[in-house]
Amino acid sequence: MEKGCIFCDIVNGRTSTEILYQNDMLVVFRDIHPHAPVHLLIVPRKHVRSANDITEADRAILSEMFMVAKDMAHAQAVARSGYKLLFNVERGGGQVIFHLHLHLMGGWKR
Ligand code: 5GP
Ligand code: ZN
């Protein structure tokens, strides 16, 4: 739990954000400014600043993030049509919230 971190607040239930899925390792909710018809954020409960800061101890969390991403793609009916999974890393990579998260974006009409 990092003071002043909005994603720590969300994963700890301190906001009114609708949680689509959660387990002991992570939480999934919709991006507040979606860049796709389906735009979810898969967010570990543990505060890790960015992909630069992951450690050996985080292997299970990272694995779980991808497994849940795949399941959420099915649940949101974008698995077959396709989707993007994205980590923005640090400011130059477009990261604005410095709590690790995986973007799941899909649902475009093509
Ligand atoms: P980043 O650019 O750091 O990879 O992505 C952060 C994402 O978090 C952005 O797409 C932004 O719209 C989203 N976001 C920022 N604050 C909030 C919030 O309070 N609630 C939700 N649901 N999404 C947020
Ligand atoms: Zn945090």
Side-chain angles (χ1 to χ4, degrees):
M1 180 90 190
E2 180 100 342
K3 205 158 170 269
C5 172
I6 181 65
F7 282 6
C8 279
D9 286 346
I10 293 173
V11 302
N12 287 292
R14 295 181 175 205
T15 74
S16 57
T17 307
E18 183 188 356
I19 303 302
L20 300 182
Y21 175 81
Q22 59 183 315
N23 64 26
D24 59 335
M25 283 192 217
L26 57 78
V27 170
V28 181
F29 50 91
R30 290 190 191 87
D31 196 294
I32 203 167
H33 298 304
H35 288 268
V38 173
H39 187 170
L40 308 185
L41 299 172
I42 295 145
V43 183
R45 292 187 181 278
K46 179 182 174 187
H47 181 92
V48 175
R49 176 185 163 92
S50 82
N52 282 339
D53 302 289
I54 57 178
T55 68
E56 285 291 332
D58 300 322
R59 280 182 186 275
I61 293 171
L62 295 168
S63 170
E64 185 67 7
M65 288 173 81
F66 279 96
M67 296 304 288
V68 168
K70 179 201 69 174
D71 291 344
M72 292 305 298
H74 280 282
Q76 296 281 315
V78 300
R80 192 189 288 256
S81 58
Y83 55 97
K84 297 180 194 292
L85 292 176
L86 174 73
F87 287 98
N88 293 325
V89 184
E90 296 295 335
R91 286 183 212 284
Q95 187 175 5
V96 295
I97 303 290
F98 294 97
H99 177 135
L100 186 70
H101 53 279
L102 178 58
H103 293 258
L104 189 168
M105 290 169 281
W108 302 279
K109 298 247 182 306
R110 288 205 170 139

